[in-house]
Amino acid sequence: MKTENQALFEKFHLLKSNAGTHSPSITTIKSELPELEIKVDACFLSNPYATELFLKYFRKELIDTGEINRVLEFYPSQNKEISQLVGGHLQIDPSRIFIANGATEIIQAIIHNFVKEKLLINIPTFSPYYEFALPHTEVIYYNLKKEENFRLDPDDYISFVKENKPHTIVLINPNNPDGGYLSHNEMIRLIQELAWVPNIIIDESFIHFAFENSSLELPSIVSMMDQFPNLYIIKSMSKDFGIAGIRCGYAIMPPDKVKQLLKTGYLWNSGGLAEYFFRLYTRKDFLKEYEEVRKKYITESLFFVTELGTIPKIKVYPTKANFVLIEILNGKSADEISTELLLNYGIYVRNCSDKIGLNGQFIRVATRYKLENEYIVKSLREVFHK
Amino acid sequence: MKTENQALFEKFHLLKSNAGTHSPSITTIKSELPELEIKVDACFLSNPYATELFLKYFRKELIDTGEINRVLEFYPSQNKEISQLVGGHLQIDPSRIFIANGATEIIQAIIHNFVKEKLLINIPTFSPYYEFALPHTEVIYYNLKKEENFRLDPDDYISFVKENKPHTIVLINPNNPDGGYLSHNEMIRLIQELAWVPNIIIDESFIHFAFENSSLELPSIVSMMDQFPNLYIIKSMSKDFGIAGIRCGYAIMPPDKVKQLLKTGYLWNSGGLAEYFFRLYTRKDFLKEYEEVRKKYITESLFFVTELGTIPKIKVYPTKANFVLIEILNGKSADEISTELLLNYGIYVRNCSDKIGLNGQFIRVATRYKLENEYIVKSLREVFHK
């Protein structure tokens, strides 16, 4: 490694260690390490075409009209007013909807308020699910097995749950960081057989990238909510709609839980832009265009993953999300490969060394624009042909 | 009342009752009651000159440059990265700073996590302080006395606290909804004499409108934090900086409390625009201009309150905030007067009938632009000359 790269490398690792079990944001990297040129942010899990679509509406309806002034100056609507809107759109009783400042706020709200005793987490996972657990909560882990491509085996999982009797279970579908997917029917079977578990949390933050037929239709479990009073569905809007900076998400949960949360908090937790987004989210014109960019992005992601699969000395795990988990098979570590990609190619990937349940040989790579995907494939091919 | 007004009146009261102990937002009113023309929103407590200043920077630095795309697309920095910035600006150890999605998130965080047993609230007050209390918390009230202009009497308050031994006390300074102000020296005396109370919450959300000398300097208690390990200072940015739609605030509290909150939550609770605002908040160029609009607004507010004081059949309570509590002395109720102002003059004021500690004879009127203030004075003069 060149000396200048060594210095950069050390600074970058310091930022990474300050960010805990998350990656330093692109904002932080740009402000702390301006000398580092990031060409492709493949750490960030987001549909860039959806961002463009949102920005088109944002510029036309808020900036060009001057309406933005009102959006930033005044208080946004209260939580339950926004849930009325979203409920109408989803055809779900608004009393079941909890509007939040990003999905992490929902995870915190549920884990802090409704999770008693044993919390079962599948690993590898999105770390806030266990990090947000309060001291009185016992966290137990179910290992997704590498030899089964980190895919959840419903029978084995059901036996594990029966044996360990957790109070709360969490199913992220598709799962982060591996992209493993439980089909709609498998999910229904799971929640039917586990109907006795007091809380079942299903995180559908990446469901917009999943599909079960060639018309790429959405297989969400939301329509089943009425039948299962123990379900909590969590939905981030950051990934599928490409608006992580706006912070919005929602959950669907039992009405008494929503009532309990709103009784003592979460009054004005949506910003003005989040409210604008939620209003767009209920509009036919926006959703028609969104559906096009969703399918375009999925199609490009499918091509990207197929191309990655032709690179030697890596294993590409099956995914139905907008990212892919890659195992490094050339003897190098994830630290080495992610640093090489960053410093020599300007490609920022997720080094998964800090993920419980993964050893130091895994990186996660997000799908981005078509040209960026091509650059990632070309660069990885170079790195692994050495 | 004319028939069309009667129908509007009924619709408006329904909105108001749906908003609980808060007022329906201007966004809600505009979307639910488009036929209602609001000329002046004197319910909303915010410096409009500060909004203009923020928007100037926002347009120049985010919109014209295209930088807004990045701000909305990517994850903002984590909580503790933003507290580093704010800490540097305030010359306070960042480990004492908790960055939040508006002051209501801070109130919720403190009340839910650190308030045990007895919570003492002065009434009238900002309702989330008692509404957010969890079932195990006993809320007790200290009555600010009408005959003392709702001004807190330090000696009487200290005796009350000694007698009732609350675990947590809350002092909003200046107080909402009456604008009553405790001087810097009175506040220091209070916190010295009550140093044995486990938690003292001081809400300085309106402190930017207070002053103790003719150069209108800021009398914040922040500089005293190190000497009092039981203090929590809460600071909304919505009012003084005119950006309620962005949702940002911060608290200064004991480092172990900040650590406890961040250990199990609040990871990405600032949006991209909140992060941009916090960066502005640490910049000399912005703060220099802000100081000018702050003083301009205070000066206009002083004039406004003086003019209101010349109107017969109302009592204007002394204030050091950007609003004034008005008692109605012509025999009509706050319901009647606020409806008359809204329907006949397009002036939206805060009807204080739902405030514990106030009977139905009080309205709260915010300072707005100079011309709007003049229109409010003229209209109130008409209403009370009838």
Side-chain angles (χ1 to χ4, degrees), chain B residues 7-69:
Chain B
L8 260 179
F9 171 84
E10 280 162 16
K11 281 196 205 168
F12 178 74
H13 272 252
L14 183 64
L15 277 189
K16 168 77 186 117
S17 90
N18 287 341
T21 50
H22 302 277
S23 300
S25 72
I26 203 92
T27 315
T28 305
I29 296 175
K30 286 199 169 165
S31 89
E32 301 291 319
L33 279 179
E35 66 272 41
L36 184 66
E37 191 202 355
I38 296 187
K39 286 183 187 158
V40 181
D41 182 1
C43 180
F44 179 54
L45 309 175
S46 176
N47 180 352
Y49 302 112
T51 306
E52 285 179 2
L53 176 66
F54 172 80
L55 288 169
K56 184 180 87 171
Y57 278 79
F58 168 78
R59 289 206 171 257
K60 188 175 154 206
E61 299 186 350
L62 298 189
I63 302 299
D64 297 349
T65 59
E67 182 67 8
I68 186 70
N69 299 10

Side-chain angles (χ1 to χ4, degrees), chain A residues 38 42 75 91 97-98 107 118 131 163 190 237 272 288 293 319 332 354 359 368 382:
Chain A
I38 295 186
Y75 278 88
Q91 298 184 287
I97 296 176
F98 175 67
I107 298 172
K118 256 189 209 175
E131 289 170 344
E163 196 177 318
L190 270 182
M237 315 305 273
K288 186 168 172 287
V293 297
T319 179
K332 288 196 176 174
D354 58 3
N359 62 22
R368 296 296 295 166
E382 261 184 46

Side-chain angles (χ1 to χ4, degrees), chain B residues 87-233:
Chain B
H89 164 62
L90 295 174
Q91 298 185 287
I92 290 269
D93 186 334
S95 67
R96 284 183 165 278
I97 295 175
F98 175 66
I99 298 294
N101 183 41
T104 47
E105 184 177 54
I106 303 169
I107 297 172
Q108 181 181 340
I110 295 176
I111 302 265
H112 287 198
N113 289 282
F114 307 128
V115 173
K116 315 281 176 208
E117 306 142 28
K118 255 189 210 176
L119 167 64
L120 173 61
I121 303 290
N122 304 339
I123 50 174
T125 191
F126 180 56
S127 61
Y129 277 107
Y130 57 84
E131 289 171 344
F132 288 1
L134 294 177
H136 64 73
T137 303
E138 181 195 357
V139 182
I140 60 170
Y141 297 99
Y142 174 80
N143 291 287
L144 296 168
K145 293 159 198 73
K146 188 179 144 182
E147 56 276 20
E148 289 168 13
N149 288 338
F150 300 110
R151 208 186 158 285
L152 186 138
D153 173 340
D155 291 317
D156 188 60
Y157 182 73
I158 289 169
S159 308
F160 187 91
V161 174
K162 282 184 177 161
E163 196 178 316
N164 289 279
K165 298 183 183 50
H167 179 268
T168 302
I169 64 176
V170 179
L171 295 160
I172 309 180
N173 198 37
N175 193 39
N176 180 3
D178 54 278
Y181 178 67
L182 276 171
S183 76
H184 192 63
N185 287 339
E186 284 170 320
M187 187 59 93
I188 289 170
R189 192 194 138 205
L190 270 183
I191 59 183
Q192 277 169 341
E193 295 213 22
L194 298 174
W196 53 271
V197 176
N199 297 321
I200 300 183
I201 299 174
I202 301 177
D203 185 332
E204 290 199 335
S205 291
F206 296 95
I207 201 80
H208 278 214
F209 308 121
F211 51 88
E212 296 193 6
N213 59 34
S214 59
S215 53
L216 308 181
E217 277 154 10
L218 279 178
S220 166
I221 205 77
V222 165
S223 59
M224 312 290 293
M225 286 300 293
D226 285 348
Q227 299 168 48
F228 300 96
N230 58 342
L231 286 191
Y232 299 72
I233 311 276

Side-chain angles (χ1 to χ4, degrees), chain A residues 69 73-74, chain B residues 40-41 44-56 209 238-243 290 293-294 296-298 300-301 322 366-373:
Chain A
N69 298 8
E73 179 174 12
F74 294 106
Chain B
V40 181
D41 182 1
F44 179 54
L45 309 175
S46 176
N47 180 352
Y49 302 112
T51 306
E52 285 179 2
L53 176 66
F54 172 80
L55 288 169
K56 184 180 87 171
F209 308 121
S238 299
K239 289 86 182 168
D240 33 23
F241 291 95
I243 48 163
Y290 169 69
V293 297
R294 184 179 77 84
K296 173 181 176 164
Y297 182 59
I298 292 179
E300 292 183 7
S301 299
N322 63 334
T367 311
R368 296 294 298 164
Y369 283 111
K370 200 172 160 187
L371 284 176
E372 294 182 318
N373 294 344

